[in-house]
Amino acid sequence: MQKKEQDKVIFTKEELSRRVKVPMIVEQDLKRIISDRLEQCGLYYRVFSRIKTATSMAHKFEQKEYGEQHKLQDLVGVRVNLYFDDDVDICKYIMEQTFDLVGWSTSERSNEEFKPTKLNGVFRLPKYLKAEISSDTWEMFIDDTFEIQIKTMFFEGWHEIEHDMRYKGEELWKDYDSFSRYLNSILATLELCDKSMVTLFEDLGHALYKSGRWSDMIRSHFRLKLEEASLYPEVVALLDEERDLTDNLGKKLYKTNKKTLVEQLLKRSRRIPVNVNTVVAVLNDSLFHNGRLTAIFKERDVYNDGREESVAESRHYELLPLTRHTAFQMCTEIDGNRLREQPVGSRIIFEKVTECIYRWILSKYGGLFPEMPQEVTTFHADILAYHVTVNYDGAGGRMNMHVRHMDPEVGGRIWYSEASLEINGEDRVYLSLSNGYAEPERINATVKEKSAMFFSYPGYYKGIVDNIGIVNGIICQNRRRIIREDCLDTLAEVLRDRGRMFPIVLIISRENEDGMMDEEWLGQFRVSDFTKTIWRYAHALTCYEQAGRRLLKMMGMDGDAEDAVPRLYIFWPDGTVDDYGPTDVKNCSFGRRLETRGDARTYDLVRGGQAFYHKIVTDLRDWNVSADMWEGFKLEIMTEIPK
């Protein structure tokens, strides 16, 4: 809920997260539109984008005063990095021709001061994209605008450091003017580099013009990303023929500035190949009107010449079948043990679960499909790579769903989640789900990814486990559990149950002098933290030596053996057992992955109890993604799921 502090409107992070919903299609379409326009005129550029997070918005509301007259304007931000300094004004012009401009601002500086130069423009969101954003957004002093930042590549490399260490860190420079001057000299060098790059190519272009190297002169003078091509021999001959004339065609080309050429390229009714021939043809059509050039280009069909050979249109993509990779799966009974109203029947549990699943779909995909009803119902919709299907039979106690979307960062990868919910003949509620991704087999990949690397359960499963409650052999709980003597018979029966999909981790320890459980042999294993990490897909149980030995005997294991305790056992659903003792824990080493970017890996090598902790968690996750559970609706052949 919003509150006021000295007339300042503040929204909490939670409220912003709940009410402000911006689908990825908004960010992606803005980025695509801008990229298409810059490609059309051949500028060298890089485009980046982001949607402002709830945390970042909340921080802005705390720092600045927003209201009806002054709203937050950068809900979506796009950054354009340019390679040449004189392209900044050109890009500014292109953006003004593409979107509805609200206003520009630039970094202020004195003649004695150097700062990274950036140009910020605020534009109205296209109406069709504004319609994709949740309507609550406009009630929270957020404007229906987005921001475009334009910077050069030299200053882009410096900007983040300058922003954090100078703009946000003014205290660093207090009483240290000499260091501040030193920093200014570095910034001055960067500004000089920006200017010098343009000057270099202009001077080179002039030298090439004087030498009559017309194709090279065009490349250096206009500094556009031109396709591979050479000037037609007839055009070269004409330019050579006129060299001695006062107002020759070569001079006209050299005297034409870059912005003029870009303006003419943008006026074309359709996108044309950008090469040395089309550059001359476009300028001749709009400025020179030389009849001989016109005849040459008409004969050559210049605007279509090279279209089939252009990289974008002729690239061959080999289409490979998609292979499914499971990132999480589960088959379990939902007993409602976490619902406040107890006891509860299967009908109430079923309704709670369907609502949880449907609300998750609505929050994630509702922005793409505005027609999606707010209440649980059968629904099917597709838009490009986005798909939602829900088959709901409330009276029959059945619900099936499948959703999928493309990965915004990894080409060819599609993420999916699918679930089946039903009240069975014994009046119990069962849920089966599969969460994962599908992509072509990367035959030449240097690193083969394991599915468990992307281990993740969908938000609706978390909501069901945390707020409704499941039972998988035994009730699923997130707190440490100590097994007493009177529970052993029940536990032994659960351990033998082949229908159980949760592995059970059993830690048996001796008592210390105070009669407490002695777990020093586990080192930094942290039993309570381990339980909270794995409790949604595995059970973690502990017991004292006497109870543990008795349980081992009940399971047909040698509970009297000296090394049977202390020990950690994993009872897998298929009946196999892994067991580890103090030596296994002490000698364990594990390369804990800290970061993954493409094929680059960053690892932190840990040893002993901490390493053992990560090893067991990884083993449990590997088992989950590779187990023979419910396989879902077969993504590769499915359009609508079975009822």
Side-chain angles (χ1 to χ4, degrees):
M1 177 178 289
Q2 75 179 57
K3 56 182 179 179
K4 288 193 175 183
E5 292 183 3
Q6 299 178 345
D7 297 326
K8 182 186 293 184
V9 176
I10 296 177
F11 293 100
T12 65
K13 176 179 66 176
E14 291 75 18
E15 184 174 10
L16 288 163
S17 178
R18 187 179 70 254
R19 299 185 64 188
V20 180
K21 304 291 185 183
V22 186
M24 284 188 296
I25 193 174
V26 176
E27 175 189 0
Q28 292 168 347
D29 260 26
L30 289 174
K31 187 176 178 180
R32 176 188 56 78
I33 292 168
I34 292 171
S35 296
D36 284 351
R37 295 293 274 168
L38 297 178
E39 287 285 344
Q40 184 176 348
C41 56
L43 290 188
Y44 284 94
Y45 72 95
R46 290 288 184 272
V47 177
F48 306 90
S49 59
R50 63 100 182 102
I51 297 172
K52 210 167 191 66
T53 64
T55 300
S56 180
M57 284 188 282
H59 179 70
K60 262 206 160 183
F61 276 109
E62 291 177 356
Q63 297 296 314
K64 298 184 178 182
E65 294 186 6
Y66 289 103
E68 287 295 341
Q69 302 305 315
H70 177 52
K71 298 181 179 181
L72 188 147
Q73 294 184 308
D74 61 342
L75 178 62
V76 181
V78 181
R79 186 172 75 250
V80 181
N81 293 341
L82 301 166
Y83 287 80
F84 295 105
D85 181 70
D86 59 341
D87 285 349
V88 171
D89 283 338
I90 294 175
C91 184
K92 176 174 178 282
Y93 167 79
I94 295 172
M95 295 302 100
E96 290 173 352
Q97 304 305 307
T98 306
F99 301 106
D100 182 10
L101 174 67
V102 175
W104 290 100
S105 63
T106 187
S107 49
E108 298 180 0
R109 60 182 180 182
S110 65
N111 292 334
E112 294 77 29
E113 182 183 22
F114 292 94
K115 289 182 179 178
T117 302
K118 65 177 180 179
L119 185 64
N120 289 1
V122 176
F123 299 86
R124 293 291 171 198
L125 284 164
K127 289 184 179 180
Y128 84 99
L129 290 179
K130 178 183 176 181
E132 299 289 344
I133 300 173
S134 58
S135 57
D136 283 358
T137 301
W138 320 122
E139 300 174 2
M140 305 182 72
F141 303 123
I142 297 175
D143 211 351
D144 59 345
T145 56
F146 70 101
E147 182 183 70
I148 299 177
Q149 284 188 359
I150 305 175
K151 291 182 287 187
T152 63
M153 292 295 286
F154 277 120
F155 271 129
E156 166 58 20
W158 164 253
H159 174 70
E160 185 174 352
I161 300 299
E162 190 272 346
H163 184 265
D164 289 349
M165 303 292 283
R166 195 176 212 185
Y167 174 71
K168 289 184 176 180
E170 294 180 358
E171 291 299 316
L172 283 175
W173 312 94
K174 188 176 181 181
D175 301 326
Y176 291 99
D177 291 342
S178 62
F179 288 101
S180 185
R181 285 195 298 273
Y182 191 6
L183 178 61
N184 283 338
S185 70
I186 295 173
L187 292 173
T189 302
L190 290 176
E191 183 172 335
L192 181 62
C193 288
D194 262 336
K195 304 294 183 186
S196 298
M197 286 292 287
V198 175
T199 301
L200 168 66
F201 282 100
E202 282 291 351
D203 291 347
L204 176 60
H206 185 260
L208 293 167
Y209 159 67
K210 288 292 187 180
S211 301
R213 292 170 55 181
W214 309 116
S215 289
D216 294 334
M217 181 270 286
I218 291 171
R219 291 182 181 280
S220 184
H221 174 60
F222 291 112
R223 301 179 303 285
L224 295 179
K225 192 184 299 183
L226 302 181
E227 297 176 2
E228 289 297 326
S230 297
L231 274 176
Y232 299 144
E234 306 95 310
V235 175
V236 173
L238 179 58
L239 291 170
D240 288 341
E241 180 184 320
E242 290 196 353
R243 260 183 96 173
D244 295 331
L245 298 179
T246 303
D247 192 24
N248 61 71
L249 278 172
K251 180 182 288 187
K252 288 181 179 179
L253 280 171
Y254 178 70
K255 290 294 185 180
T256 303
N257 63 52
K258 187 175 184 177
K259 185 177 179 181
T260 299
L261 172 59
V262 168
E263 289 174 352
Q264 297 307 317
L265 287 170
L266 291 174
K267 287 179 180 179
R268 305 297 301 183
S269 58
R270 65 181 177 88
R271 185 169 170 175
I272 62 172
V274 183
N275 56 50
V276 289
N277 290 302
T278 53
V279 164
V280 179
V282 165
L283 293 178
N284 186 61
D285 287 347
S286 58
L287 302 177
F288 308 154
H289 308 297
N290 182 288
R292 292 174 65 185
L293 276 179
T294 301
I296 292 170
F297 291 133
K298 182 178 181 181
E299 178 69 23
R300 288 276 192 165
D301 193 13
V302 65
Y303 296 126
N304 288 315
D305 184 24
R307 285 185 61 81
E308 292 184 358
E309 287 75 33
S310 68
V311 174
E313 295 181 352
S314 65
R315 183 182 292 131
H316 172 67
Y317 297 95
E318 182 181 2
L319 299 180
L320 299 173
L322 298 180
T323 302
R324 290 167 60 107
H325 301 272
T326 303
F328 180 80
Q329 57 182 332
M330 186 52 60
C331 295
T332 189
E333 179 184 353
I334 305 172
D335 67 344
N337 64 78
R338 287 180 167 259
L339 293 175
R340 291 183 179 180
E341 56 272 25
Q342 292 291 340
V344 292
S346 60
R347 178 55 57 180
I348 292 177
I349 295 172
F350 175 80
E351 291 173 355
K352 294 284 187 183
V353 176
T354 55
E355 182 178 357
C356 183
I357 295 174
Y358 193 83
R359 290 297 167 197
W360 177 83
I361 299 173
L362 193 62
S363 67
K364 194 173 184 70
Y365 295 89
L368 294 168
F369 306 111
E371 72 279 15
M372 187 174 180
Q374 296 295 307
E375 302 301 324
V376 183
T377 187
T378 294
F379 178 77
H380 174 78
D382 286 288
I383 178 172
L384 298 176
Y386 303 94
H387 174 95
V388 170
T389 294
V390 178
N391 286 331
Y392 174 67
D393 178 8
R398 290 179 59 85
M399 179 186 189
N400 291 331
M401 78 83 169
H402 174 97
V403 295
R404 64 177 180 262
H405 64 270
M406 63 182 178
D407 191 310
E409 297 182 355
V410 181
R413 178 177 293 167
I414 295 176
W415 288 91
Y416 69 87
S417 185
E418 49 200 23
S420 176
L421 179 73
E422 67 173 341
I423 303 176
N424 71 2
E426 299 176 355
D427 205 31
R428 293 183 176 181
V429 182
Y430 279 88
L431 172 70
S432 298
L433 70 94
S434 179
N435 206 51
Y437 61 97
E439 64 182 1
E441 285 296 331
R442 303 178 186 275
I443 300 173
N444 297 322
T446 57
V447 176
K448 294 295 184 182
E449 306 283 15
K450 295 177 67 176
S451 296
M453 179 174 291
F454 300 106
F455 182 88
S456 60
Y457 38 75
Y460 63 83
Y461 177 73
K462 179 179 182 295
I464 292 167
V465 176
D466 294 8
N467 303 316
I468 300 175
I470 71 172
V471 56
N472 203 291
I474 56 178
I475 288 176
C476 181
Q477 293 185 4
N478 64 349
R479 58 181 176 81
R480 179 171 180 166
R481 285 181 282 185
I482 299 177
I483 301 302
R484 307 295 182 183
E485 292 277 350
D486 57 352
C487 301
L488 296 183
D489 290 336
T490 301
L491 179 56
E493 183 179 347
V494 171
L495 293 175
R496 298 188 186 100
D497 181 9
R498 294 294 178 269
R500 164 176 57 89
M501 290 300 174
F502 270 37
I504 294 179
V505 180
L506 178 66
I507 302 171
I508 305 175
S509 296
R510 297 190 176 100
E511 296 180 14
N512 60 24
E513 296 176 353
D514 299 323
M516 304 296 289
M517 199 170 291
D518 183 2
E519 294 176 346
E520 288 189 8
W521 64 280
L522 282 171
Q524 301 179 52
F525 188 79
R526 309 187 314 276
V527 177
S528 293
D529 290 344
F530 172 76
T531 303
K532 292 177 182 177
T533 298
I534 57 95
W535 76 287
R536 296 187 181 96
Y537 50 90
H539 296 302
L541 309 173
T542 58
C543 66
Y544 289 95
E545 179 176 353
Q546 182 177 343
R549 289 187 181 278
R550 182 185 161 197
L551 178 64
L552 293 176
K553 288 182 180 180
M554 296 171 66
M555 295 302 299
M557 302 166 66
D558 190 0
D560 291 330
E562 179 61 29
D563 62 351
V565 178
R567 214 155 184 83
L568 181 145
Y569 297 88
I570 303 179
F571 292 87
W572 300 102
D574 62 4
T576 58
V577 180
D578 291 348
D579 62 288
Y580 304 92
T583 302
D584 299 311
V585 176
K586 181 179 179 180
N587 296 333
C588 185
S589 63
F590 188 87
R592 178 177 56 181
R593 179 173 55 83
L594 297 181
E595 185 176 345
T596 303
R597 290 184 180 176
D599 287 342
R601 300 286 185 271
T602 302
Y603 287 99
D604 173 26
L605 188 65
V606 292
R607 302 181 186 280
Q610 188 178 2
F612 188 65
Y613 176 102
H614 292 291
K615 168 184 165 43
I616 299 303
V617 171
T618 300
D619 287 350
L620 293 170
R621 291 177 174 179
D622 285 342
W623 183 87
N624 178 277
V625 300
S626 61
D628 184 16
M629 292 193 201
W630 181 72
E631 294 187 356
F633 301 111
K634 298 297 182 185
L635 175 72
E636 61 271 19
I637 61 171
M638 191 204 65
T639 53
E640 294 190 47
I641 60 178
K643 297 184 178 180

